[in-house]
Amino acid sequence: MKGMKEMRSVNIIMYHYVRDLRHSRYPEIKGLALDEFVKQVEFLKDNFNIISMEELVQAGKNGSELPERAAVLTFDDGYSDHFMNVFPVLKNYGVSGSFYIPGEAVKEHKLLAVNKIHFILASAEISSLRTEVISLMDKYRGNEFDFPETSELIEEYQKPGRYDKAETVFVKKMLQTVLPERLRDIICDKLFEKYVGMKEDTFSRELYLNEHQIKCMKDAGMHIGAHGYAHYWLGNLDKEKMKEDVNKGLEVIEPYIDRNNWVMNYPYGSYNDETVEYIKSIGCSMAIATKVGVCDLDRDDFYALPRLNTNDFPPKSETYKTFA
């Protein structure tokens, strides 16, 4: 007989881009190939019990057990990939997914900074790109913008990540959070125009879900959750700006959620005590982050549940076993 602890654990699996990478315009984008996604769903169906986010929330609320080897599939950032590629596969295999949508992408058809960075990285050679970013940093430092010397930033941030080499981590950190926001926008806009060269409005309408697609997935039993509005690092914002971003994000997805019982997915996994206090006060029942691990409902904070990555499971790897 399985112990209670095991019966309260769940593998929450994180996905982003899912597409036919080899035949796409951006084969270097960090995503999961569609054929590999199909194989992964087959593997999970055979070896795990895939449950819905609603079932996970219910277990968290009432203390009930989960199926043995439970898994929840979560899809970040509201990509059209999720409707065109993921949704048909999930329907075909009879499983549920949980989709987290940044409001700005749907409401304003605006290309989020996080995605500009992804496609710049997918279009440029990293050593040259790093040199170019540093050159632009040096150009703007000390005029309108004040930030540390490049050598200090390299020492602090140029370190390999779980899936990225050190140079890539450095570029991401500079453009995602370290540099002043307006300077990040200036540099990203210059690099996107140079390396991608597509109008942002057109690009965003291709990249993100639209309201009809979201409704279709919701009506078919998929779960829709919150992912903020502008994909900010919520833990880095002052309290009022954080509240504004959360509220605006909820307004966009309100037709697809219960405002008294919804789930938050922190962009970049970034939150702080004020973030948690606020989302709890406005009906959030559970939140997922990016800390790596298997979720244990008897141990983990319901407002900072850990996840594993698609790359931790076959056919990509068997890393998931090290977290069991």
Side-chain angles (χ1 to χ4, degrees):
M1 182 175 177
K2 301 294 180 183
M4 172 63 81
K5 182 176 181 180
E6 183 173 348
M7 298 300 279
R8 294 272 288 165
S9 68
V10 56
N11 295 265
I12 305 176
I13 308 172
M14 175 171 55
Y15 299 86
H16 289 86
Y17 303 102
V18 179
R19 54 179 59 184
D20 183 1
L21 291 170
R22 189 161 60 90
H23 298 106
S24 73
R25 282 183 291 181
Y26 303 95
E28 298 304 315
I29 200 75
K30 291 291 183 70
L32 184 65
L34 179 55
D35 60 339
E36 292 180 328
F37 177 65
V38 173
K39 291 176 183 176
Q40 187 161 103
V41 171
E42 290 175 344
F43 170 81
L44 293 170
K45 281 275 290 183
D46 290 342
N47 294 276
F48 290 81
N49 287 295
I50 301 174
I51 64 172
S52 68
M53 180 57 69
E54 289 88 349
E55 290 174 291
L56 179 60
V57 170
Q58 190 62 29
K61 283 186 170 184
N62 63 23
S64 60
E65 293 187 0
L66 294 169
E68 183 182 356
R69 295 170 68 84
V72 172
L73 311 187
T74 63
F75 300 86
D76 292 17
D77 297 343
Y79 299 130
S80 58
D81 288 12
H82 300 161
F83 181 78
M84 295 186 294
N85 300 327
V86 169
F87 178 47
V89 175
L90 297 185
K91 280 193 69 178
N92 185 48
Y93 285 91
V95 298
S96 178
S98 187
F99 298 85
Y100 297 89
I101 300 164
E104 188 175 60
V106 176
K107 182 74 173 178
E108 300 184 40
H109 304 292
K110 185 175 179 181
L111 186 59
L112 301 174
V114 62
N115 297 127
K116 289 183 188 177
I117 297 166
H118 289 166
F119 286 94
I120 291 166
L121 286 165
S123 304
E125 194 278 320
I126 187 58
S127 295
S128 298
L129 181 61
R130 175 185 175 278
T131 299
E132 194 164 359
V133 168
I134 289 173
S135 176
L136 289 166
M137 288 164 56
D138 292 340
K139 174 183 176 180
Y140 286 101
R141 183 188 286 106
N143 297 318
E144 299 176 64
F145 304 102
D146 182 30
F147 52 95
E149 292 297 319
T150 299
S151 58
E152 295 178 39
L153 295 173
I154 290 173
E155 183 177 356
E156 183 171 359
Y157 294 105
Q158 189 166 290
K159 299 171 184 177
R162 193 166 180 228
Y163 298 111
D164 292 318
K165 58 185 180 180
E167 290 176 309
T168 304
V169 171
F170 175 77
V171 170
K172 282 185 173 181
K173 290 288 188 181
M174 294 305 102
L175 299 183
Q176 287 177 349
T177 186
V178 173
L179 299 177
E181 183 177 1
R182 194 160 69 84
L183 178 56
R184 299 199 308 264
D185 290 342
I186 290 170
I187 293 176
C188 283
D189 287 348
K190 287 179 180 292
L191 296 174
F192 187 84
E193 182 178 1
K194 176 178 178 178
Y195 289 105
V196 181
M198 190 172 175
K199 289 183 178 180
E200 289 186 24
D201 177 76
T202 303
F203 197 93
S204 69
R205 288 174 187 270
E206 290 184 3
L207 182 62
Y208 302 118
L209 294 165
N210 62 46
E211 293 172 350
H212 303 293
Q213 292 168 331
I214 300 169
K215 184 179 186 302
C216 181
M217 292 198 299
K218 174 66 176 179
D219 290 347
M222 301 297 138
H223 172 265
I224 305 299
H227 204 43
Y229 189 74
H231 206 277
Y232 282 128
W233 295 68
L234 294 175
N236 294 350
L237 298 180
D238 66 61
K239 186 174 182 178
E240 291 309 309
K241 191 166 185 178
M242 175 272 293
K243 291 166 68 173
E244 179 186 11
D245 188 82
V246 170
N247 289 338
K248 287 177 71 176
L250 287 174
E251 287 172 8
V252 175
I253 64 167
E254 186 162 18
Y256 322 109
I257 65 170
D258 176 355
R259 283 294 292 261
N260 297 312
N261 184 26
W262 53 275
V263 177
M264 181 70 179
N265 178 346
Y266 306 113
Y268 305 105
S270 175
Y271 64 95
N272 57 25
D273 290 344
E274 286 185 337
T275 315
V276 173
E277 180 183 3
Y278 183 65
I279 63 174
K280 287 170 71 173
S281 75
I282 58 170
C284 181
S285 54
M286 188 170 278
I288 55 178
T290 55
K291 179 183 175 183
V292 180
V294 174
C295 170
D296 182 340
L297 292 179
D298 291 325
R299 177 196 65 211
D300 291 313
D301 183 346
F302 283 2
Y303 291 88
L305 298 182
R307 291 190 284 176
L308 295 176
N309 193 283
T310 174
N311 293 316
D312 293 320
F313 293 84
K316 302 297 288 185
S317 78
E318 295 192 351
T319 309
Y320 77 94
K321 292 180 178 179
T322 66
F323 297 98

